[in-house]
Amino acid sequence: GDTLYYRFTSDMSNTEWGYKFTVTAGHLGRFQTGFEILKQMLSEERVIPHLPLAKIWEWQVGVACRQTGHQRLKAIHLLLKIVQCSTQGDCDLTLLKPLWQLFTHMENNSCHDAAKPGILLPLHRALAELFFVTENRVTELGSLQEYLLALNTEDHLHRCTAQ
Protein backbone atom coordinates (compact mmCIF):
# COMPACT_ATOMS: atom_id res chain seq x y z
CA GLY A 1 0.00 0.00 0.00
CA ASP A 2 0.90 3.65 0.02
CA THR A 3 0.25 4.27 3.73
CA LEU A 4 1.74 3.05 6.98
CA TYR A 5 0.14 3.78 10.36
CA TYR A 6 1.90 3.09 13.62
CA ARG A 7 1.47 4.06 17.26
CA PHE A 8 4.00 3.84 20.05
CA THR A 9 2.75 3.27 23.56
CA SER A 10 5.21 3.48 26.42
CA ASP A 11 4.89 1.62 29.68
CA MET A 12 6.72 4.58 31.27
CA SER A 13 9.30 2.30 32.91
CA ASN A 14 12.33 3.87 31.13
CA THR A 15 14.15 0.53 31.38
CA GLU A 16 14.54 -0.30 27.70
CA TRP A 17 15.83 1.61 24.68
CA GLY A 18 12.71 1.32 22.55
CA TYR A 19 11.89 0.21 19.05
CA LYS A 20 13.47 0.64 15.66
CA PHE A 21 11.58 0.35 12.36
CA THR A 22 12.97 0.07 8.88
CA VAL A 23 10.41 0.68 6.17
CA THR A 24 11.28 -0.02 2.56
CA ALA A 25 9.35 0.45 -0.64
CA GLY A 26 7.74 -2.35 -2.61
CA HIS A 27 9.23 -4.26 -5.51
CA LEU A 28 10.25 -1.27 -7.64
CA GLY A 29 13.78 0.08 -7.34
CA ARG A 30 14.46 3.31 -5.50
CA PHE A 31 14.99 5.35 -8.67
CA GLN A 32 11.88 4.02 -10.40
CA THR A 33 9.74 4.51 -7.30
CA GLY A 34 10.94 8.10 -6.84
CA PHE A 35 10.46 8.84 -10.52
CA GLU A 36 6.88 7.56 -10.54
CA ILE A 37 5.93 9.46 -7.38
CA LEU A 38 7.48 12.74 -8.53
CA LYS A 39 6.01 12.40 -12.03
CA GLN A 40 2.55 11.94 -10.54
CA MET A 41 2.96 14.86 -8.15
CA LEU A 42 4.10 17.16 -10.96
CA SER A 43 1.07 16.12 -13.01
CA GLU A 44 -1.37 17.36 -10.36
CA GLU A 45 -1.86 21.12 -10.75
CA ARG A 46 -3.39 21.43 -7.29
CA VAL A 47 -0.32 19.80 -5.71
CA ILE A 48 2.38 21.88 -7.43
CA PRO A 49 1.96 25.04 -5.30
CA HIS A 50 2.63 22.94 -2.19
CA LEU A 51 5.86 21.38 -3.49
CA PRO A 52 9.29 22.77 -2.58
CA LEU A 53 10.17 23.14 -6.28
CA ALA A 54 13.54 24.80 -5.63
CA LYS A 55 14.74 21.85 -3.55
CA ILE A 56 13.24 19.28 -5.92
CA TRP A 57 14.88 21.08 -8.86
CA GLU A 58 18.30 21.08 -7.19
CA TRP A 59 18.03 17.42 -6.30
CA GLN A 60 16.72 16.42 -9.73
CA VAL A 61 19.50 18.25 -11.62
CA GLY A 62 22.01 16.32 -9.52
CA VAL A 63 20.23 13.07 -10.36
CA ALA A 64 20.28 13.90 -14.09
CA CYS A 65 24.02 14.62 -13.91
CA ARG A 66 24.85 11.39 -12.05
CA GLN A 67 22.60 8.92 -13.84
CA THR A 68 23.13 7.33 -17.24
CA GLY A 69 20.94 5.67 -19.84
CA HIS A 70 17.19 5.49 -19.33
CA GLN A 71 17.43 6.83 -15.79
CA ARG A 72 19.09 10.01 -17.07
CA LEU A 73 16.34 10.37 -19.69
CA LYS A 74 13.69 10.03 -17.00
CA ALA A 75 15.43 12.58 -14.80
CA ILE A 76 15.55 15.03 -17.73
CA HIS A 77 11.86 14.36 -18.35
CA LEU A 78 11.11 15.45 -14.77
CA LEU A 79 13.31 18.54 -15.15
CA LEU A 80 11.29 19.48 -18.21
CA LYS A 81 8.03 19.13 -16.24
CA ILE A 82 9.44 21.27 -13.43
CA VAL A 83 10.53 24.03 -15.82
CA GLN A 84 7.11 24.07 -17.43
CA CYS A 85 5.27 24.50 -14.12
CA SER A 86 7.77 26.78 -12.37
CA THR A 87 7.50 30.49 -11.73
CA GLN A 88 10.17 33.18 -11.36
CA GLY A 89 12.73 32.07 -8.79
CA ASP A 90 11.48 28.49 -8.34
CA CYS A 91 14.48 26.96 -10.08
CA ASP A 92 18.13 27.91 -10.11
CA LEU A 93 18.64 27.39 -13.84
CA THR A 94 22.38 27.90 -13.53
CA LEU A 95 22.51 24.40 -12.02
CA LEU A 96 21.94 23.13 -15.57
CA LYS A 97 25.51 24.08 -16.53
CA PRO A 98 26.89 20.49 -16.48
CA LEU A 99 23.99 19.30 -18.63
CA TRP A 100 24.50 22.28 -20.96
CA GLN A 101 28.15 21.30 -21.36
CA LEU A 102 27.09 17.72 -22.15
CA PHE A 103 24.57 19.02 -24.68
CA THR A 104 27.04 21.35 -26.42
CA HIS A 105 29.57 18.52 -26.55
CA MET A 106 26.95 16.31 -28.22
CA GLU A 107 26.03 19.14 -30.59
CA ASN A 108 29.67 19.59 -31.62
CA ASN A 109 30.13 15.86 -32.15
CA SER A 110 26.91 15.49 -34.17
CA CYS A 111 28.15 18.18 -36.57
CA HIS A 112 31.27 16.10 -37.22
CA ASP A 113 29.40 12.79 -37.56
CA ALA A 114 28.44 12.81 -41.24
CA ALA A 115 27.62 9.08 -41.17
CA LYS A 116 24.21 9.69 -39.55
CA PRO A 117 22.97 13.11 -40.61
CA GLY A 118 19.76 14.26 -38.97
CA ILE A 119 19.59 11.41 -36.43
CA LEU A 120 19.80 12.40 -32.78
CA LEU A 121 20.28 10.02 -29.91
CA PRO A 122 17.46 9.98 -27.32
CA LEU A 123 19.64 11.81 -24.76
CA HIS A 124 20.55 14.46 -27.32
CA ARG A 125 16.87 14.95 -28.19
CA ALA A 126 15.86 15.13 -24.53
CA LEU A 127 18.52 17.72 -23.74
CA ALA A 128 17.59 19.72 -26.85
CA GLU A 129 13.97 19.83 -25.72
CA LEU A 130 14.93 20.72 -22.14
CA PHE A 131 17.08 23.64 -23.24
CA PHE A 132 14.60 24.80 -25.87
CA VAL A 133 11.76 24.91 -23.34
CA THR A 134 14.01 26.45 -20.67
CA GLU A 135 15.18 29.16 -23.06
CA ASN A 136 11.56 29.99 -23.93
CA ARG A 137 10.68 30.05 -20.23
CA VAL A 138 13.48 32.46 -19.27
CA THR A 139 12.57 34.64 -22.24
CA GLU A 140 9.00 34.86 -20.88
CA LEU A 141 10.40 35.72 -17.45
CA GLY A 142 12.76 38.35 -18.90
CA SER A 143 16.05 36.80 -17.76
CA LEU A 144 17.44 35.24 -20.95
CA GLN A 145 20.74 37.13 -20.93
CA GLU A 146 21.55 36.20 -17.31
CA TYR A 147 20.67 32.58 -18.00
CA LEU A 148 22.87 32.29 -21.10
CA LEU A 149 25.78 34.00 -19.38
CA ALA A 150 25.49 31.65 -16.40
CA LEU A 151 25.57 28.50 -18.54
CA ASN A 152 28.57 29.38 -20.66
CA THR A 153 32.20 29.64 -19.70
CA GLU A 154 34.16 32.81 -20.30
CA ASP A 155 36.34 30.94 -22.80
CA HIS A 156 33.27 29.84 -24.77
CA LEU A 157 31.91 33.39 -24.84
CA HIS A 158 35.28 34.66 -26.15
CA ARG A 159 35.28 32.05 -28.92
CA CYS A 160 31.71 32.96 -29.93
CA THR A 161 32.58 36.63 -29.97
CA ALA A 162 35.65 35.95 -32.11
CA GLN A 163 33.57 33.97 -34.59
Side-chain angles (χ1 to χ4, degrees), residues 99-110:
L99 293 174
W100 175 253
Q101 290 170 341
L102 173 63
F103 176 67
T104 56
H105 177 74
M106 293 177 94
E107 281 285 294
N108 292 336
N109 285 347
S110 72

Side-chain angles (χ1 to χ4, degrees), residues 3 8 11 16 18 21 51 58 63 72 109 124 126 130 132 137 148 152 155:
T3 307
F8 291 102
D11 63 2
E16 298 294 327
F21 287 91
L51 295 176
E58 184 178 339
V63 169
R72 178 177 272 172
N109 285 347
H124 194 167
L130 173 65
F132 176 74
R137 190 77 181 117
L148 293 175
N152 287 291
D155 183 49

